[in-house]
Amino acid sequence: MVTQPSRTPLATEHLVGSLTLEEKASLLSGRDFWHTQGVERDGVAIPAVMVTDGPHGLRKQAEGGDHLGLGSSVPATCFPTASALGSTWDPDLLTRVGAALGLETRAADVAVLLGPGANIKRDPRCGRNFEYLSEDPVLSGDLAAALIRGIQSQGVGASLKHFAVNNQESDRMRVSAEVDERALREIYLASFERAVTRSDPWTVMCSYNKVNGTYASQHRFLLTQVLREEWGWDGLVVSDWGAVRDRVAALEAGLDLEMPSSGGRTDADVVAAVRAGTLDEAVVDGAVRNFLRLVDRTVDAVEAPATFDVDAHHALAREAAAAAAVLLRNEPVDGAPLLPLATDGAGVVVLGEFARTPRYQGAGSSLVNPTRLDTALDALRAAVGDDVPFAPGFTIPEGREVAGAGAATDADSLLAEAVALADGAGTVLLFLGLPAVDESEGYDRTTIALPDAQLRVLEAVAAVNPRVVVVLAGGGAVSVAEWQQHAPAVLETWLGGQAAGSAVVDVLTGAVAPSGRLAETIPVRLRDVPAWGAFPGAFGTVGYGESILVGYRWYDTRDLAVAYPFGHGLGYTTFAIDEVTAVARGAGSDATVDVSARVTNTGDRAGAEVVQVYVGDPDAVVARPERELKAFAKVALEPGESRIVSFSLDSRALAFWHPVLHRWSVEGGAFVVSVGRSSRDLAASVRIEVDGDDVALPLSRMSTISELLANDVAGPVVQPMVDGLEPELRSMADDMPAVVLVDFGMAGFDAATLDAVVERANAARA
Ligand code: BGC
């Protein structure tokens, strides 16, 4: 159900006209941590609205408030975190999860849920990657849009965050992300653009950081030019909590609502600026209109009573967590893969503290107080029998350092106990993962390795039993290259929410076929990552020198080895993709490409394949990634079943952001359309020819000879200047500004004549 605005535009205008300046300013900042201010007086009734975190579950604090997850909140379903939801590659499922989140929001009388996050996972060390969906803007944007559509279908608003270029937690409140225009448009904004234009979030939250020197909260280019003027969005921009440094500058730039409360201090700044004539009251009125639109959009839903089915939402959380699990490897041992487990579970032992103390969500403002919590150990015992033996193997450190002789002794005895249990067991399920202290909002990781204590257990266990299945939990990618030879099967489960324990057992037993795919590359080594050496910056800035080569774009373009590529994930069946076709139509910004492929379940179990469409521009005037994801579809198939999947790509799938003309440009020529199962496992590639836009810059007297030669009007005029030159001289001349050769007297005409030719050439192109 989507509520329609209950107040007419006329009534809004009347209201804006009848509010005092002080009242209008007050509407644009918080009353407390989670409420906006209202106005109640003769003839005016504007309710305060409540907003709360967060992306994977409601965190409504009963009283008072903080934004660090310290204060407890009312119980709510803890759905899988974004790193898990991203790995489902399933927009329909995410819309259902969004609808459940929206219903819980509504049932709690809350108007806006503060999520989802659409920041790109630039580096696996970002402490908040568990709150983000992918390293790829198409996947991230489409999945964020799906969540938003679901949330808002319940009549409450979503808040797409953190806009923009907030890709690290280190120094997040001050750091300036120094990013070039192409990377900004093609990677970092593209994720938000897809989400905004495909789902119309009712609010967008600006980030804390600066972008190229300007705080996001005061960034007119981002908040007004891009968001509203280019993307046509009409929602409310809310600050991240405490992100406003200069309220008047922020308002002028397009930030509507400052959160949380400033105790009236910054409201007074706004009033004073209007009275002093330094701030146009029309700016305040515009923000008030945006605020009233949000109230109008949400008021009916918040006022209508609602309840939700706790069991049904838990079941949905379980379904989503199972769909998110990525089977990284499943090598045969004694002729057969270890997974799925034999149905009776005979001989299975469970090791690893995470099996009974699950890691299922991240720390910080997104911390949910779950309605219940499943553990894998309980779920496995329920599935295959109470007698499944268990040993913790290691302790999960609670602080960032654990040390001391006592800890070492404990570690030795825990390890010995685990090895004893593994020795002679049929199959060992070893639950490893990142301790909660390793990843959180507010700080980054410094390593992507699993803790040594856990790797020692793995090595010792593998020495006595080769049948080891590692089940990983964690909000970000961990390196596997140094240890995976000890584990023929590895299942990455991310932070799967409150039902993660039962969901992982569904996958291990084969009750649910694994269908998750990596939404982020797993590198071989931390030092291979694109931002190595730059992340997280120093002295208040962080350089984005890798530019557009983020995630798999980096590894594939540089042909670097990876542990597991973007898009990778195994199932319990096999698939074939064939009959790949790609047909281009139209030209330039009107170009479209129709792609289709047949996918067949060639194994003997049901399963789902994610068909991925990549596009590359092998011969481009600018540097372009080897290939980029442009579309995908998750297809569930019975054994032997085939389906044709079709995709319609628009010109953006071919375009790059022209950094001088400042617009999307399709360069004419060949493109390679590939369809496959990961960025490295391509079933087929089709070469297409597309007529492009004119991507050349306007000509001038400083244009080079080769640039002028490429032009129909100027070419014939400058051709005689280079006719007959020796090859070396010709190469040199081609790259020289024409006016220099004219000044050398090589043209037989003067610079004024050159200017006239250039003018004619530009006029002919216009
Ligand atoms: C976080 C936001 C969150 C807000 C409110 C901030 O610290 O960055 O994501 O929505 O707090 O808790």
Side-chain angles (χ1 to χ4, degrees), residues 33-34 51-55 59 66-69 114-115 128 131-132 159 161-162 166 169 172-173 205-208 239-242 259 364-366 441:
F33 238 86
W34 304 118
V51 303
T52 72
D53 287 302
R59 187 171 69 97
D66 65 78
H67 66 295
L68 298 174
L114 301 175
R128 218 172 175 181
E131 284 195 64
Y132 300 137
S159 195
K161 64 191 188 181
H162 306 89
N166 177 187
E169 292 299 286
R172 67 170 165 160
M173 298 201 176
M205 186 191 293
C206 78
S207 57
Y208 287 120
S239 72
D240 199 344
W241 268 230
M259 286 300 286
S365 63
S366 66
E441 174 177 344

Side-chain angles (χ1 to χ4, degrees), residues 393-436:
F394 52 86
T395 52
I396 305 171
E398 283 174 7
R400 294 194 86 179
E401 296 295 332
V402 272
T409 317
D410 281 356
D412 288 347
S413 61
L414 288 172
L415 186 142
E417 184 195 5
V419 171
L421 213 54
D423 200 357
T427 301
V428 178
L429 298 179
L430 177 54
F431 287 74
L432 305 179
L434 291 174

